[in-house]
Amino acid sequence: MSISRLTASLASASNELTVAAAALNFDFSLVRIDAPDEFKLIGPSLSANRRADAEGGKAHVTARKLGALFDRIIPPIPNLIKAYGHRASEISSTPAANPQASNQAGIFAAHVGADGTTLWAAATSGRSAIAVHLLACLLARIWTGPEATSLWAEIVERRRQEVAASFEREEEVDFPTLSVVRQDFSRTQLAEWDASARGWLRAADIAKDSELKQLMLILKNIDTTVDRAPDPYEGVIRVWRKTLTTLECLVSGMPQRVSDGSVLMAIWAWHVYPDLILVKGANVDVRFKDPLISSGGCLTIGLQMEDEAKGFDGVHWSLSLANLRYYGDPVVSHRAVVPDGSRLSFAELAQVVLGSIISQWTGYENSLVTAAEFFLALWDAICYGATSNEGMDMSEQERQSAQMFLDIEYNWMRILVDAARPVVESAGLEHQTAQQLIKLGQRRGSNFFCTKIPSFFGLLNVRTLISLSSSTEAWIKLLREVAAEVMTTRSDTSIPAIIRYASGAGRVFEYASVFPDLRTSNKRKRKGSSRSPSNLKRWISSKSAESLAKKGSKGTGYAEQAPYTRSKSHPTVRTTESHSRRPRKVTTMNVECWDSRRVQIEGLGEEVLSREEAGVSSIDEACLKVDSQSDHFVCMMGDQAVAALFIPQSYQAYYASRFRNVERQNIKTRHATEMLRSRSMHVGRLISCLNGGAEVDEGEEAHSFSSTHRQLRRTSSLRAFSSAARVYKLLSKATISPKLLSRPFNSGLWIPKGLKKLENQDLSFLQGDHLSRPQSFSCIALLESGIHNIDPSLLCNVIALSSSDSIYVAALLLCDSWETPLDDEIRRISGNIGRAGLAMLFAPENVRLCPRDDTRWRLVNHTDFDGAPGDSFRGTSLHLSFTGYERPLDTDSSGAQDVDVYLLETRISIHDNGAWIGDLNVMQSLGSEFLSKLTYPALCSHSTTSKPIAWSMTAIDNWDELFDAPKTACIIRAHRNWIARLAFICICHQLRRRTVVLPGHGGHPNKFIDLWRDGGSDHPTYIW
């Protein structure tokens, strides 16, 4: 039956029935029912605006209409309503979830706090309306705003048709239900109903954060569907009724068993937590110990059907949305509760970014713990280099570079290190959550940074690591461990392999065996005790490099000094060749130094031999001491100028491919981590390596970070992330949509072009630039929604952004007008303006002023300023309202019925003791050429107490005195009243009066005005 026929039938009823129906229609939107006792704490916790709307405004009308429309199909749920009332009251009483307004919120004070509008509207509209509010939370939890609005439009229309059909069949239908069928449900009403529920969910998530995290850990291991009904109305209503009934039983203490995800989604949306038993392999008991659940109320989650969740992860729901677009086939939409369901803090986003980076480092030893330990070791190595002199071969310039590196506040490396830290240093839930987030980045964020970052920033290269360390022991340890991984069999370890390294004392070559020599030794220690069988041997020099050079010139064979530049290839080392380069000046090796080194090495369990006494002057002779049958030896790995591993030339062909793979595919991460922990790193070179300064041989693949033209794109993503961190520094408790991970981060239109140009000469590659105000709002819009990529040029006049539970406000609207915050300083206020989607607030270009009223001449005194501080404008206030004009922003949603992003014209009005003074355009006024700000004088001895003023000025103590100001200099007394001071700046701009703002605290105006008058200005208006 059509709605029009139902209307006609109602109209043809008896006069008495028609009058009663009309009365019902009237009472329907105006009657207010006392809220249940469990809900009564909610109303007083709301802002005045929200409470008024919930008790008698549009929200109340919507709640009453929806409650009446669905009343007959709602199962009885008295215990669930009682429990939900207690939980909602608990949430609204949590300061973190529902902060109260303060003076710092300025014009947004009326919009501060949790959005409990629909909740309180439902509580004051009857129990059926509370059940409809629960449905709103259920839909808002999993569907986007436009999708949920589309579902509401469809189920409302289908329910109206269902009621009309029942009336046609002469079935019993309540008058309130019949009455509401005749009412209109606009999409705007439904969208605002959904938006308020979203704001409430965000606040509730903050209050129940620990329970929510524990639930998310459970849901990630469950793959099931919410409902499989293809029809949206049937599916939504069935899920709603089922979840209401099941939670009613659980709250009442009756155990329940389910095999789909509908009840889990309800637990997630309603913040009521029964104990869970997961039947998946071994049973897993999860105890929430929620006091709202009576004893025995336990939910058992059974096994899913084999084909039920095929192709999807987590708890998911698919529906066909016929009302999403104006034209076209229904849009099939799929949404998952997990793993992407929970919004992220910026710190958590950093962990996802870390996972995105790690996901590109496949094929290596990249477990989460190993990767996290690498980042921490890298950071600690730079910190140690900047703060310690112990054992560090580093110039003062390097040390300063390291300190500058650490001083960069929004250093993207610092952000990644902080993201890695919980993986290593935390335990329990925090550790598990960190691992989940990093794994989320690995799964979903492989394209988050649009080009592949070299594995571990190129630090898994043997030659690079050796060049970065100044420790001979670290070189030897590294080469031995890598050789043991390449030469793994017993036959491999029997091959004579030798490490030649440049000695740190004399800068001459010394030698070490690679593999243990298990032959026993009859040698004794210096004090006569027996020596244990020697595993490893070392041939060290007992003479200085200078004396060896002299012997070498006479042909004695001791001339193999360490060269001081790198070789460009790995040739066979000739024992008789001496280097023609002038040797570096070295210190003389004395007996005490020799003994000290021998004791040190013997302490490591190695046998120490004198290179000179053993007759070892070259790598070949060193290897002959290990194997008398060997021929010439060749370098297989490392840097010949510093430390390298050699094997007999006859084995070169056999092992060449193995060692080549090590050079190309990199070593295991733990080797780099241990080297970084050795406290022997050249920090300046390490930082240079991160910026593409590491040296690599010609013809080899460049392993260093940013070493090719692709560095521009690599660093631009990281620097853009640093810029976003700078914006989010003041956005306390702001959250980010995981949908952001589905697109390259570098594709954001908010990223300034300058970020794509890298300056290699300094540390600018580590940090992003300051963003403009439009860029900052564009950045927030993208991170808040995950999908809306807005051109900043469309946001030039935007002063604030409202979305769900957050109002993001330009800092200049929330601080004293004497201050000059940076453009990227945005503040977050917990609350919203009650509108759906992303609302971008902007002021009208031409604002109005109250006409001057000459009948108020008795209020104009224009007394001389006596130098006394004071605030004559305590009754001045700013108020926010909307003109009704809004303009959609193009975000690739052509054809959609609901506008999700739009510019909203916003009126900021001044009132003085309730009387309207005028409207403001703050952005325009603060950028005015008529405005000047005086800073503190260097040596100002004046106090803020009353002092005679040195210049004749007129005091302005009310608004009429400003509008009818004299031609002389004036001073407005609004001391430490930042709201009034901002209002005066804007009004003076509109009056085209030159304005000078004095500091809002400290100092007397005498000195400031002296300085200003010295500049020769004519009769300005001072604001003090």
Side-chain angles (χ1 to χ4, degrees), residues 704-776:
S704 60
F705 181 60
S706 305
S707 59
T708 70
H709 68 281
R710 298 173 66 189
Q711 71 183 59
L712 299 179
R713 299 183 67 189
R714 292 169 185 160
T715 54
S716 65
S717 292
L718 290 167
R719 295 172 68 209
F721 190 66
S722 173
S723 293
R726 191 188 299 273
V727 172
Y728 270 74
K729 70 180 183 292
L730 297 176
L731 305 184
S732 173
K733 298 179 183 177
T735 57
I736 296 163
S737 172
K739 296 175 186 176
L740 182 71
L741 308 181
S742 63
R743 64 191 308 142
F745 191 81
N746 206 29
S747 67
L749 296 176
W750 59 269
I751 300 175
K753 295 180 180 180
L755 282 176
K756 297 179 182 177
K757 297 178 181 179
L758 186 66
E759 301 175 19
N760 284 308
Q761 303 303 317
D762 54 26
L763 297 179
S764 64
F765 75 100
L766 288 164
Q767 60 182 332
D769 295 337
H770 285 280
L771 302 181
S772 66
R773 189 176 300 112
Q775 289 168 340
S776 299

Side-chain angles (χ1 to χ4, degrees), residues 444-553:
R444 298 290 187 264
S446 59
N447 295 319
F448 194 31
F449 278 60
C450 55
T451 56
K452 187 174 181 179
I453 297 174
S455 182
F456 296 90
F457 308 109
L459 294 179
L460 301 190
N461 179 267
V462 173
R463 300 186 66 193
T464 298
L465 280 177
I466 290 174
S467 71
L468 293 174
S469 174
S470 61
S471 169
T472 57
E473 298 306 321
W475 302 337
I476 295 169
K477 185 175 184 292
L478 173 66
L479 292 171
R480 280 173 174 168
E481 289 181 349
V482 176
E485 292 170 356
V486 175
M487 307 169 74
T488 57
T489 66
R490 187 176 182 85
S491 60
D492 290 336
T493 57
S494 65
I495 296 172
I498 289 292
I499 295 172
R500 186 185 72 179
Y501 62 94
S503 168
R507 299 304 293 171
V508 296
F509 281 131
E510 296 177 346
Y511 306 92
S513 60
V514 175
F515 299 112
D517 181 3
L518 300 179
R519 295 174 295 179
T520 59
S521 172
N522 294 324
K523 294 184 178 181
R524 305 180 71 83
K525 293 183 181 179
R526 296 185 63 188
K527 294 185 178 181
S529 59
S530 298
R531 183 191 300 277
S532 59
S534 176
N535 289 331
L536 295 168
K537 293 185 177 181
R538 195 82 68 89
W539 293 269
I540 68 174
S541 175
S542 60
K543 299 183 181 296
S544 68
E546 198 173 77
S547 63
L548 288 177
K550 292 178 180 178
K551 290 185 178 182
S553 64

Side-chain angles (χ1 to χ4, degrees), residues 404-425:
M404 290 173 60
F405 180 97
L406 299 177
D407 289 342
I408 297 174
E409 185 177 4
Y410 299 101
N411 182 334
W412 52 256
M413 182 60 74
R414 183 196 298 270
I415 297 172
L416 295 180
V417 169
D418 289 341
R421 201 173 297 281
V423 178
V424 177
E425 299 179 354

